[in-house]
């Protein structure tokens, strides 16, 4: 059951991040990319997750997959809507992640 603690901690961080717009993983990190992908799904955007993963360094891919799974669970249980401005911002970030 040792894997439950990091998972619970991750979910708690996600919940806290949802409370404010400034909380969350810092931009440029694998966790930020995972959170952005999750938010894109929340906003109903198409995401080429495989392309984003392929552009990550080999050692970062597993971290991305684990972080993205945590965000997906939270998103599935409590989906969020996004307004047009946020949708546009997230769409731009997803495009940048797919091109980097």
């Amino acid at each position: 059951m040792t894997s439950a603690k990091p998972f619970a901690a991750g979910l708690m961080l996600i919940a806290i991040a949802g409370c404010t717009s400034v909380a969350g993983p810092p931009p440029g990190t694998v966790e930020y990319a995972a959170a952005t992908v999750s938010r894109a799904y929340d906003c109903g955007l198409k995401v080429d997750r495989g392309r984003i993963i392929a552009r990550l360094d080999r050692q970062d891919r597993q971290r991305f997959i684990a972080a993205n799974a945590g965000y997906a669970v939270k998103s599935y249980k409590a989906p969020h809507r996004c307004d047009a401005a946020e949708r546009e911002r997230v769409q731009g970030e997803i495009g940048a992640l797919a091109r980097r």
Side-chain angles (χ1 to χ4, degrees):
M1 285 299 225
T2 59
S3 65
K5 287 182 182 180
F7 182 74
L11 286 178
M12 184 174 277
L13 284 173
I14 294 166
I16 292 169
C19 294
T20 65
S21 60
V22 294
T29 63
V30 173
E31 292 76 16
Y32 181 82
T36 302
V37 166
S38 179
R39 192 65 188 137
Y41 285 125
D42 287 346
C43 292
L45 299 170
K46 289 187 179 184
V47 178
D48 189 348
R49 190 172 169 268
R51 186 172 184 179
I52 292 169
I53 291 171
R55 296 193 177 287
L56 294 172
D57 292 335
R58 185 175 300 276
Q59 66 270 17
D60 291 336
R61 291 177 185 164
Q62 281 305 113
R63 279 184 32 222
F64 174 88
I65 291 168
N68 192 236
Y71 287 114
V73 167
K74 186 246 183 204
S75 200
Y76 177 76
K77 290 184 177 182
H80 301 280
R81 299 194 190 278
C82 58
D83 61 18
E86 183 180 15
R87 182 181 168 94
E88 187 175 324
R89 179 189 58 79
V90 171
Q91 190 169 22
E93 290 179 16
I94 288 296
L97 286 171
R99 288 187 301 271
R100 75 172 187 163

